[in-house]
Amino acid sequence: MATIAVPIGTQAEQREAEAVRRPALSEYLRWSVDHKIIGVQYGISSFLFFLVGGAMAMGIRLELLTPGLDLMVSGSAYNSLFTMHGTVMIFLFIIPMWAAFGNFVVPLQLGAKDMAFPWLNAFAFWLIPPAAIIILMGYFVTPAEAGWTAYPPLSTLFSGDGQTLWALGAHLLGISSIMGSINFIVTILNMRPEGMTLWRMPLLCWAVLATSIIAVMATPFLAGALTLLLLDRVAGTTFFDAAGGGDVLLWQNIFWFYSHPAVYIMVLPGMGVLSEVLSIHSRKPVFGYRMVGLSSMGIAFVGFTVWAHHMFTSLQPELRIPFMITTMIIAVPTGIKMFSWLGTIWGGKIRFTSAMLFALGFLSMFVIGGITGVMLAALPFDIHVHDTYFVVSHFHFVLFGGSVFAIYAALYHWFPKVTGRMMNERLGRIHFVFTYFGFLFTFFPMHIVGMLGMPRRVAVYDPAFTQWNQLIGIAAFVLGFSTFIVVYNVIHSYFRGPVAGANPWRALTLEWATTSPPPVTNFIDDPIPYEDPYGYGTEAATAYLDAVDETFRNGAPASSR
Amino acid sequence: MNNNRNRTPSVSPAAVVVAAIFLLVSVVGINWFTSFVPAVLPPQASAESKSVDELFYVLVIIGGIVFFLIQGMLLISVIFFRAKSGDPSDGPAYHGNALLEIVWTIIPAGVVVFLAVLSFNVWMQNTEPKAMVNLIDGDEVKINVSGARYAWTHSYQTGRIDPDGEQIVINSGDRLHTYIGQHIELELRTQDVIHSYWVPAMRVKQDLLPGNPATGGRPTEIRFTPVRVEGETYPAAYPIVCAELCGDGHGRMTGEVVVYEDENQFLQAFYEPAIDAILNPPADPVLRGEIVIQQYICNSCHTLDSLGWTSRTGPSLNGIADRAGERVPGQSAEEYIVQSVWNTQAFVVPGYTEQMPAFGPDQTDANAMNAEQLYAITAFLCTQGEQSDCDSENQTTAIPAAIKTAFGLEVDITFGQGDGASTDSSEAPDED
């Protein structure tokens, strides 16, 4: 034992006094500069928006049960519904949800007391509620109906005030995203504890670092595009109006220069989560740690060179080939990650926790999104399926099969740290089964209807596709229902779950070397990271974990609740 | 942080057996996948569709290998590497294998290079410009497509000349007529927002981009060559779909590509009758109006039972003649209809918004409509009702009078009625 670094000092009394207190619920409704409070604020609000966006998805599927208009009064009403669905899910759910986990976990993994700029952190969060109100308000005036991509001239000359509010809200969210990302970059590069080099940093931190670099570089382009859109809408400029010398492709180029990297903003943190969860729950080091970390950077870099594959049917034909090539190249770093994860669980001792199930679910679903991604990069085939349900299917495999599965994995994994209570594993498994199969049967058939000839964003479709859409609809309702299981599980476990203790998963990263939930200052003493964040399987690691358990054995007595 | 001395995960005989079984399943599975390829794609109705589908076939095979490889490794891991209950120990401290990592970087890189080269070849082959396009009766005929919310209009700028020396333009509405082996090249223009012209059976798609009308818009092009589909009866029709969100009626912005068996059938069933109808329109303005109104995109927004129109974006035209006289005080039914077609801003039916494009004599685009066409359409709409408000006794004077009042234009009501009949060329659409 003598050679083992014990993570925390010995001021046991102080620890007991501070550590066991769970923040009162009212603290979450107030301005707070504590990254843990802010993380939960991000998390709860994003999850509420997930429910809103999910309800809209149910409306979409309800409308599509028949080939005619029935639920909706008009095509426009349907258009505004999916416009809001996309906007809410992307800007108000997935992106801020990763800010939630990033905020809560990253400073803890770095052994830091808070983010580098706590006030900026809080300010970034508090931009979200007004932005959300502005965007949702737009739904009740003359709603935006140009899709989340808001292509002019549909979004400029042919739509109402809701589109202006949409652009204003998205603008605010972009500002929030930039501020949050600057904070992450500074925190990760400057606040690592002694002994934690970049190459000893947990992979979630790598992923958040790559994500934040993308967000800081790309989001200003969104801001630029939205500014021009707003000027066209309210100030009579003609940036996107051909009659006044403007160009509609200008919007597509700037918008996708942000929005393609934004896909990685939404997926990379999930990949970071996956590295954590797969390693910890199969008790084995991450296979090829350096390549997993570097591939995040590789994806971030190549991700900036592929945007115009979203414009394969509008771009000048001779410009399409280069973007096909870059798009295919990005499959390589993504493949490295997939294989490294398989190498991680291969030969391990897999614990089938709910977090692990969702991480494995990510692997098996995301690979389909990756395969269809390469198919879509193949220009001649893309020409056929561009703007069809094939694409809808592809990006849901990436953003639901990828991001949302990773969000669930992260929820089950870190819930004990956030609340001090374990989630119900049986309910977690039921939730997984419903989500997995509901998801698969909702989105896989969409490939087929797309190839057969059904375009996306239509309320009225060829009756030949009715049965496919009914199958998709029924599966979608199962998927929608599965969400209630996790909602119940979260609420139930918050009050009734078994006490978690400091390190229920016996993980080596630093967030587990403090009480659950952590005290306001995160650690009582400066924590000492274990030399390898994923060094499972050695006696030294086992001794370290035993020492953590020993230190916190009385950290959070059940009686204190 | 390296512990490579620790044992590598051992492979049990059972795992080998499972891997072998899985390999077999994969081979059968990929075969099974590919057997579905024709079932999940529309008919191969163009030369392009064949090479695109071949590319897709390769993508499915390679994708299938990746799919089964990864799902198989996952399945094996899940079965063989699950922790025994009550076993608290860790797995081996195995940090990686440089050779493996190089392999799974190089091989996918090689695969994507292969796919990129293959896709590039298919692309070059499919987009190669053809020598003779839109060949009809020995002439290259320009075919324009106009997209407007929410209808397609195809027009053939034929090489034929009418008795006045004007070029004959066939307007075939939302249908493109072609024949097997004809190299089609369409010039696409939008009148409003971005649309996307997609013919699933031909595997071609191209966006229509708004351009400056003063400089002739921003035409884009699309090319394909229809080929014979086994077991098809000709003429065969394949859907045209709008693939880019364009607003309320996006889902019903459809059309048809009608493919004839050969040029002869094309000429006899479509081309010559269409030219004949232009040169010799029915003398009865009502019958003429019924033909003319179907050459425009009215059906994309209006309902009219007698012609089978069902759209609800604009007010219904059923019984229009019964209401036309009472819409605007002081306006006769004829005056109201004439004004509603050409000066769409003048009166908007309560409950609707002003979305109707302006039709009129001054346009060079697909909405161009001369006074004679307006006269015929008005005559036809005057018959749509039980107790028409129109002066049906004096149709030939009342409608021209209304056009004269509203727009100051004379109408040649003898248009197309044989010898010497001519249009006032200043009013005809300016086509060059």
Side-chain angles (χ1 to χ4, degrees):
Chain A
M1 286 291 283
T3 58
I4 287 147
V6 177
I8 299 289
T10 50
Q11 295 145 308
E13 313 77 38
Q14 195 187 344
R15 216 164 30 244
E16 268 181 43
E18 285 223 15
V20 294
R21 195 183 71 88
R22 226 163 30 172
L25 288 176
S26 61
E27 289 186 43
Y28 293 111
L29 299 173
R30 272 180 278 176
W31 175 274
S32 165
V33 293
D34 181 343
H35 74 99
K36 298 182 293 300
I37 302 277
I38 295 170
V40 173
Q41 288 173 330
Y42 266 115
I44 303 264
S45 56
S46 311
F47 198 83
L48 290 176
F49 291 124
F50 179 50
L51 298 180
V52 171
M56 288 170 167
M58 295 299 107
I60 289 171
R61 289 323 312 181
L62 214 52
E63 168 58 52
L64 293 178
L65 283 177
T66 63
L69 277 176
D70 29 43
L71 180 69
M72 297 290 141
V73 292
S74 68
S76 292
Y78 178 80
N79 293 351
S80 43
L81 186 70
F82 70 69
T83 298
M84 291 311 281
H85 166 74
T87 307
V88 166
M89 286 302 199
I90 289 167
F91 290 124
L92 293 174
F93 164 53
I94 299 182
I95 294 177
M97 186 53 106
W98 287 129
F101 287 107
N103 257 299
F104 197 97
V105 178
V106 165
L108 286 168
Q109 284 195 330
L110 297 177
K113 290 190 165 45
D114 205 318
M115 297 282 283
F117 307 120
W119 192 92
L120 186 71
N121 200 19
F123 187 63
F125 168 74
W126 284 102
L127 280 178
I128 291 181
I133 290 168
I134 289 172
I135 288 179
L136 293 174
M137 212 162 62
Y139 191 63
F140 297 99
V141 289
T142 40
E145 48 168 310
W148 84 278
T149 52
Y151 278 11
L154 189 60
S155 62
T156 49
L157 306 175
F158 293 85
S159 50
D161 294 337
Q163 192 74 53
T164 308
L165 293 173
W166 174 90
L168 277 173
H171 227 317
L172 279 181
L173 292 171
I175 296 169
S176 160
S177 178
I178 292 172
M179 292 194 300
S181 301
I182 289 174
N183 213 347
F184 279 126
I185 294 173
V186 175
T187 304
I188 293 169
L189 292 182
N190 291 294
M191 296 178 70
R192 294 190 309 278
E194 211 171 314
M196 187 190 283
T197 63
L198 275 179
W199 293 117
R200 289 181 175 185
M201 195 165 72
L203 284 165
L204 178 71
C205 297
W206 267 103
V208 171
L209 179 62
T211 306
S212 302
I213 291 172
I214 301 175
V216 166
M217 285 171 63
T219 317
F221 286 86
L222 175 71
L226 289 171
T227 304
L228 301 186
L229 189 80
L230 281 168
L231 287 174
D232 265 18
R233 288 195 55 82
V234 301
T237 57
T238 57
F239 291 106
F240 306 124
D241 183 0
D247 187 339
V248 291
L249 291 190
L250 177 65
W251 167 267
Q252 295 185 14
N253 274 304
I254 317 177
F255 178 81
W256 287 114
F257 194 77
Y258 162 76
S259 292
H260 191 82
V263 175
Y264 302 110
I265 294 175
M266 290 183 268
V267 159
L268 274 178
M271 293 176 159
V273 168
L274 225 65
S275 301
E276 302 283 333
V277 171
L278 291 173
S279 168
I280 291 167
H281 295 260
S282 57
R283 314 305 304 162
K284 214 171 140 274
V286 171
F287 193 101
Y289 166 95
R290 283 190 178 222
M291 285 305 279
V292 174
L294 279 181
S295 59
S296 291
M297 290 297 167
I299 290 173
F301 176 73
V302 184
F304 274 100
T305 65
V306 304
W307 79 94
H309 67 222
H310 296 270
M311 304 161 58
F312 271 168
T313 59
S314 56
L315 200 65
Q316 273 170 283
E318 55 273 27
L319 290 177
R320 297 175 189 178
I321 295 289
F323 288 98
M324 169 176 90
I325 294 168
T326 53
T327 306
M328 287 196 166
I329 289 172
I330 209 162
V332 176
T334 315
I336 291 173
K337 280 191 190 289
M338 291 297 298
F339 290 119
S340 299
W341 290 326
L342 285 170
T344 304
I345 60 172
W346 189 267
K349 301 228 170 160
I350 299 174
R351 270 83 164 150
F352 286 96
T353 55
S354 306
M356 188 63 174
L357 286 176
F358 276 100
L360 294 169
F362 176 116
L363 282 184
S364 82
M365 291 296 100
F366 188 78
V367 66
I368 298 177
I371 292 168
T372 54
V374 174
M375 289 181 169
L376 286 169
L379 176 55
F381 179 67
D382 177 81
I383 293 296
H384 176 52
V385 291
H386 200 95
D387 272 324
T388 69
Y389 261 88
F390 191 93
V391 173
V392 176
S393 175
H394 161 72
F395 69 70
H396 280 93
F397 268 91
V398 173
L399 293 181
F400 198 123
S403 304
V404 179
F405 274 60
I407 285 168
Y408 281 140
L411 174 68
Y412 285 101
H413 185 68
W414 280 297
F415 186 87
K417 182 51 63 183
V418 177
T419 64
R421 302 296 183 110
M422 301 300 286
M423 285 185 77
N424 185 313
E425 284 293 323
R426 174 190 293 263
L427 280 175
R429 279 194 292 272
I430 297 173
H431 172 220
F432 172 73
V433 170
F434 276 101
T435 305
Y436 186 85
F437 289 103
F439 170 78
L440 185 62
F441 286 101
T442 301
F443 292 104
F444 197 82
M446 286 184 188
H447 291 119
I448 297 167
V449 277
M451 284 192 288
L452 285 175
M454 181 162 164
R456 62 191 286 208
R457 297 173 162 175
V458 291
V460 177
Y461 58 86
D462 187 335
F465 306 132
T466 311
Q467 282 175 325
W468 284 112
N469 279 290
Q470 285 171 345
L471 168 69
I472 292 168
I474 291 164
F477 300 140
V478 172
L479 182 60
F481 160 77
S482 77
T483 315
F484 292 108
I485 304 174
V486 69
V487 171
Y488 173 80
N489 197 348
V490 164
I491 295 170
H492 176 84
S493 303
Y494 182 84
F495 294 106
R496 298 274 166 80
V499 172
N503 193 2
W505 312 123
R506 285 178 66 81
L508 286 168
T509 43
L510 272 182
E511 79 269 32
W512 304 101
T514 184
T515 53
S516 306
V520 173
T521 53
N522 292 350
F523 304 92
I524 306 300
D525 307 312
D526 283 342
I528 303 160
Y530 183 67
E531 54 172 6
D532 174 1
Y534 306 106
Y536 302 102
T538 60
E539 281 173 24
T542 308
Y544 177 89
L545 292 170
D546 288 343
V548 172
D549 282 353
E550 182 63 29
T551 311
F552 293 100
R553 186 190 297 163
N554 300 315
S559 57
S560 69
R561 271 305 81 79
Chain B
M1 65 187 266
N2 82 60
N3 276 289
N4 281 355
R5 282 175 293 110
N6 285 48
R7 67 193 167 84
T8 57
S10 62
V11 181
S12 68
V16 174
V17 171
V18 170
I21 293 174
F22 197 81
L23 200 68
L24 192 72
V25 171
S26 323
V27 172
V28 176
I30 291 169
N31 241 314
W32 190 66
F33 264 26
T34 50
S35 72
F36 275 106
V37 167
V40 296
L41 285 164
Q44 294 178 325
S46 71
E48 290 73 15
S49 66
K50 294 196 188 290
S51 50
V52 169
D53 290 4
E54 273 165 31
L55 174 65
F56 177 64
Y57 195 81
V58 174
L59 290 169
V60 168
I61 290 175
I62 291 175
I65 292 170
V66 174
F67 177 84
F68 281 104
L69 179 73
I70 287 178
Q71 307 287 11
M73 284 179 69
L74 257 180
L75 205 65
I76 292 170
S77 305
V78 164
I79 295 169
F80 288 96
F81 303 127
R82 75 187 300 160
K84 309 280 175 297
S85 79
D87 175 6
S89 68
D90 288 355
Y94 192 70
H95 281 87
N97 179 319
L99 181 68
L100 252 180
E101 288 173 48
I102 291 170
V103 166
W104 68 46
T105 307
I106 299 288
I107 291 183
V111 169
V112 298
V113 167
F114 166 72
L115 288 177
V117 170
L118 191 68
S119 304
F120 176 78
N121 287 339
V122 172
W123 176 251
M124 293 316 277
Q125 181 192 331
N126 282 356
T127 53
E128 190 189 5
K130 302 291 192 297
M132 300 291 270
V133 296
N134 305 342
L135 211 57
I136 298 173
D137 213 7
D139 289 332
E140 283 193 87
V141 169
K142 195 164 182 214
I143 307 177
N144 290 330
V145 178
S146 167
R149 309 207 298 171
Y150 303 98
W152 302 106
T153 311
H154 299 80
S155 55
Y156 294 71
Q157 322 276 311
T158 70
R160 313 271 182 94
I161 304 291
D162 71 12
D164 300 321
E166 294 282 329
Q167 183 189 33
I168 294 177
V169 177
I170 301 173
N171 193 337
S172 62
D174 59 7
R175 290 185 169 185
L176 173 73
H177 296 262
T178 177
Y179 58 87
I180 290 171
Q182 187 187 32
H183 297 309
I184 284 286
E185 183 179 291
L186 306 177
E187 204 167 276
L188 313 168
R189 281 189 181 79
T190 174
Q191 300 183 37
D192 36 50
V193 300
I194 303 174
H195 301 280
S196 191
Y197 190 89
W198 180 30
V199 190
M202 308 292 172
R203 316 283 190 277
V204 289
K205 186 182 285 136
Q206 173 61 47
D207 286 8
L208 287 68
L209 301 172
N212 191 343
T215 55
R218 184 177 188 170
T220 51
E221 279 164 3
I222 196 167
R223 297 183 187 85
F224 59 90
T225 306
V227 293
R228 178 176 298 280
V229 178
E230 280 312 310
E232 187 74 89
T233 49
Y234 289 91
Y238 302 103
I240 302 167
V241 181
C242 178
E244 183 63 63
L245 176 63
C246 57
D248 180 77
H250 169 51
R252 53 186 164 74
M253 182 164 171
T254 54
E256 272 179 354
V257 175
V258 180
V259 180
Y260 296 90
E261 195 153 25
D262 50 31
E263 190 174 1
N264 249 344
Q265 192 186 31
F266 169 83
L267 289 171
Q268 283 166 16
F270 162 68
Y271 200 67
E272 297 299 349
I275 288 179
D276 187 56
I278 291 169
L279 291 176
N280 305 298
D284 181 356
V286 175
L287 291 180
R288 205 158 75 227
E290 188 175 342
I291 295 168
V292 172
I293 200 169
Q294 294 183 71
Q295 293 168 349
Y296 290 91
I297 59 175
C298 316
N299 63 323
S300 67
C301 293
H302 294 286
T303 290
L304 183 55
D305 291 346
S306 61
L307 294 178
W309 299 352
T310 54
S311 299
R312 302 200 174 279
T313 304
S316 169
L317 295 180
N318 287 335
I320 178 67
D322 296 341
R323 298 186 297 272
E326 299 136 30
R327 283 284 197 217
V328 181
Q331 237 176 22
S332 73
E334 290 86 352
E335 281 167 345
Y336 173 75
I337 293 174
V338 159
Q339 172 192 277
S340 299
V341 179
W342 266 16
N343 185 4
T344 55
Q345 318 285 332
F347 178 80
V348 178
V349 177
Y352 292 88
T353 52
E354 178 47 58
Q355 290 190 34
M356 188 161 150
F359 296 85
D362 299 328
Q363 303 206 21
T364 54
D365 62 29
N367 292 341
M369 183 188 287
N370 64 28
E372 286 69 34
Q373 289 167 316
L374 177 61
Y375 165 53
I377 286 175
T378 308
F380 170 71
L381 287 177
C382 274
T383 63
Q384 301 301 305
E386 284 169 11
Q387 296 126 4
S388 175
D389 292 340
C390 297
D391 185 357
S392 49
E393 297 296 307
N394 301 305
Q395 215 174 36
T396 51
T397 52
I399 298 172
I403 294 175
K404 173 100 178 154
T405 313
F407 305 107
L409 288 171
E410 299 289 347
V411 180
D412 178 4
I413 60 164
T414 62
F415 170 73
Q417 290 177 11
D419 315 319
S422 69
T423 50
D424 182 349
S425 60
S426 68
E427 288 165 17
D430 180 14
E431 308 279 5
D432 31 23

